[in-house]
Amino acid sequence: MSAPALRRTAVTVRLNLRLQAAGGYWLVVVVVGLVGALLLRGLAALPPRWWPVLLLGEMTITCFYFAAVQVLAERGEGSLMCRAVSPMRVGEYLAALAASLVLLAVVESAALVLVSGTAVAWPAFLAGVALLAVLEVLYGAVAVAGYRSAASFLLPSGVWTIGFAVPVLPLLGVAEGWWGYWLHPLQGPVVLLRIAFGQAPAALSVPAVLAAAIWSLVGGAVAGRRLRGAVVDDAGGSRRRAAGSAARWDDLASGSPRRAPHRLCPRSRHPSGLPDLPLRLRRPGGRRPGTVGVLAALVPMDVRRLARDDLLWWLALLPLVMVLAVRLGAEPLAGMLHAHGLDGEAWLALLTGLVLTVVLPVMIGTVVGFMLLQDKEEATWQMIAVTPLSLHRYLGWRAGQAAAVSVPAVAAGLASCAGTGWARATALALACAPLAAATALALAAFATGTVQGVAAVKLGLLVLVLPVLDHAGRGGRAPWLAVVPTWWPLRALAAMGEGAAWLPWAAGALGWGTALAAGCLWWAGRSRAPQRTAP
């Protein structure tokens, strides 16, 4: 790399670090690292061999999702196109992105290990974390290049990340010692982490580093090609014209950029050039339509939006996939927990309840929340202000959609996996529905863009799973965790299993979730002028 290239990369790294700090990345990483380490100190039963699994899960959000959302934000704001027509090459852009997120990953992982008091071999540990972060950043750039919004990328990203679990299968007792694991891109970093925790011989460090380096070069080449294709699509060019030109982004980005018409203001063919609103502001008789009429006009637009981004199919598949995963993985997971000296049945019931009553509605609410954040960034909230539909009603409508979708999904999961019966499953699903609405409204209220939204999701997931420690710990119940909304549905499900009264806990879940959703709705509606954040 030449001296000018090094200067461009160094400047971009500093810029990325400032933007990530403004987006809340550093705050979230430090808080999650410290809180997670303190929780690990209290879980003396945590098997040491699970450390690589834990670090892999943390790096998935810190590197894969953070990199993907940053690329999406820069692409949406035009920064990626500006870099394409500058002297900066795509390799320099990827190197700067990876360097900034590797630093985040190292800080978070080191905090987890140091505060938890776990002994590690630091050279192997730092090398494993750094190489794992680089590969996940490159994979995030590869995966996100085909998408234009965080909402459309969120659910398909689950499929992209399924392959991350392959290198940790030997740690769970699946096909240990099989040579085929070395064909996986993440096998090298995982082996280095196992060496750091004393789970693999140090002689494997050299092949692990070589394998990770080779896959990093391959990932960089694939990520560069994918980003060039994204630039070509934004510029209105053709991939065929861009083939074989890898020296400069501007060779790929020739032509004028295309701007997609806004969902509420499609491009007009009127000679005046003014857009025609699809919402009819007045009835034929001259009267303004009521709220019900405006919401009815939004329904076909919502369906077209979901179908355009394939979210309709992903929202239908998400509950089915999660329920099947719980049913098919219950028996192997129980056996694995027994093998590590844990109460398999108790932990299995707790994890099943966590997935069905917490993770599932939160995921649905997160998808709707990112749709609201996209509307916020595109000034749709300001357009809603000049329609008969107020912003509070618009946000309430979106939150109601998240709650309505979560009810049948949670009910089906509880009835088929938890053995609660359809009547009790439906009642508990109704109690969990406000959690989906509150998640969507919290993202819309407290995040100013998709970048801060991803950081908020990582921090929020840590808070929402805290009640698991109350049920799994040996020190009895912790009433102070009642302030966490997920504490109530887990208590209700536990009471069902014990044959005790569960309706008061379900009522608490319904009331507390509704209060949180109402508070977030009030806060989100206070300001109609969105503030854009840097990518």
Side-chain angles (χ1 to χ4, degrees):
M1 186 177 290
S2 63
L6 286 174
R7 286 195 297 269
R8 291 194 296 267
T9 304
V11 170
T12 307
V13 169
R14 290 196 297 269
L15 176 62
N16 287 341
L17 291 175
R18 288 199 299 267
L19 297 179
Q20 290 159 7
Y25 284 10
W26 280 94
L27 175 63
V28 169
V29 163
V30 172
V31 171
V32 171
L34 293 177
V35 174
L38 293 174
L39 296 178
L40 290 175
R41 290 181 68 93
L43 290 177
L46 181 70
R49 68 185 306 176
W50 286 15
W51 266 101
V53 181
L54 175 65
L55 291 173
L56 182 61
E58 288 295 325
M59 294 306 101
T60 299
I61 300 180
T62 302
C63 299
F64 177 82
Y65 281 104
F66 281 7
V69 170
Q70 184 166 334
V71 171
L72 276 177
E74 292 184 349
R75 186 179 180 184
E77 293 188 347
S79 301
L80 194 63
M81 180 67 68
C82 293
R83 297 182 189 276
V85 297
S86 71
M88 170 171 276
R89 301 187 179 186
V90 64
E92 300 165 11
Y93 171 78
L94 290 171
L97 179 63
S100 60
L101 291 177
V102 163
L103 186 58
L104 276 174
V106 169
V107 169
E108 180 181 14
S109 303
L112 277 171
V113 172
L114 289 173
V115 180
S116 63
T118 305
V120 296
W122 284 102
F125 176 79
L126 295 176
V129 170
L131 290 172
L132 179 62
V134 169
L135 287 169
E136 293 211 16
V137 167
L138 295 176
Y139 191 47
V142 171
V144 81
Y147 300 90
R148 294 182 178 273
S149 67
S152 61
F153 173 72
L154 187 62
L155 292 181
S157 67
V159 178
W160 284 95
T161 57
I162 286 178
F164 287 176
V166 173
V168 300
L169 291 179
L171 302 176
L172 306 179
V174 179
E176 294 188 56
W178 183 45
W179 64 269
Y181 288 121
W182 285 96
L183 300 177
H184 195 279
L186 300 184
Q187 176 66 11
V190 171
V191 169
L192 288 173
L193 292 176
R194 296 185 64 183
I195 294 173
F197 290 99
Q199 303 169 12
L204 294 177
S205 58
V206 174
V209 171
L210 290 177
I214 292 173
W215 278 113
S216 297
L217 295 176
V218 174
V222 177
R225 184 175 181 84
R226 292 275 293 175
L227 288 180
R228 292 186 191 105
V231 170
V232 170
D233 290 343
D234 293 341
S238 65
R239 294 181 183 271
R240 185 173 302 175
R241 185 178 68 230
S245 177
R248 289 279 302 275
W249 293 43
D250 51 353
D251 295 332
L252 305 174
S254 57
S256 57
R258 296 175 302 179
R259 293 186 59 87
H262 198 280
R263 289 184 302 278
L264 294 183
C265 295
R267 195 179 300 278
S268 175
R269 297 182 179 179
H270 194 273
S272 65
L274 297 176
D276 297 325
L277 286 174
L279 295 177
R280 297 186 61 180
L281 301 183
R282 294 187 180 275
R283 294 176 179 171
R287 296 174 299 166
R288 288 183 177 271
T291 302
V292 176
V294 177
L295 293 178
L298 286 175
V299 171
M301 293 197 307
D302 291 340
V303 173
R304 286 196 300 269
R305 179 181 183 180
L306 293 173
R308 180 196 64 190
D309 294 334
D310 293 332
L311 282 176
L312 196 60
W313 303 106
W314 287 106
L315 284 174
L317 287 175
L318 176 64
L320 178 62
V321 170
M322 296 187 72
V323 169
L324 287 177
V326 171
R327 289 186 63 89
L328 297 178
E331 186 174 349
L333 181 60
M336 183 189 67
L337 292 173
H338 278 299
H340 288 89
L342 300 176
D343 188 352
E345 294 182 0
W347 273 96
L348 183 61
L350 181 59
L351 294 177
T352 300
L354 178 68
V355 170
L356 297 178
T357 63
V358 175
V359 176
L360 185 54
V362 166
M363 285 297 298
I364 294 173
T366 300
V367 173
V368 177
F370 274 105
M371 294 173 65
L372 290 174
L373 284 178
Q374 184 181 358
D375 292 342
K376 193 176 187 179
E377 290 179 322
E378 295 178 352
T380 302
W381 290 20
Q382 293 174 325
M383 298 181 185
I384 292 295
V386 297
T387 67
L389 185 64
S390 67
L391 181 58
H392 282 92
R393 292 173 182 174
Y394 173 74
L395 296 176
W397 166 255
R398 293 283 186 233
Q401 289 175 331
V405 172
S406 71
V407 171
V410 174
L414 291 174
S416 59
C417 299
T420 58
W422 279 99
R424 294 189 299 177
T426 303
L428 188 54
L430 288 171
C432 296
L435 181 59
T439 302
L441 291 172
L443 283 174
F446 300 108
T448 56
T450 54
V451 173
Q452 287 189 359
V454 173
V457 168
K458 180 169 183 174
L459 183 60
L461 285 176
L462 177 65
V463 174
L464 294 178
V465 301
L466 284 178
V468 173
L469 301 178
D470 178 35
H471 296 275
R474 293 173 291 183
R477 305 298 182 188
W480 60 270
L481 284 175
V483 299
V484 182
T486 54
W487 184 83
W488 297 90
L490 289 176
R491 287 290 294 124
L493 190 59
M496 281 186 187
E498 298 169 357
W502 58 274
L503 282 176
W505 306 112
L510 180 64
W512 186 223
T514 302
L516 288 177
C520 293
L521 177 61
W522 172 80
W523 186 269
R526 290 182 62 189
S527 175
R528 296 182 179 183
Q531 297 177 354
R532 295 183 62 89
T533 58

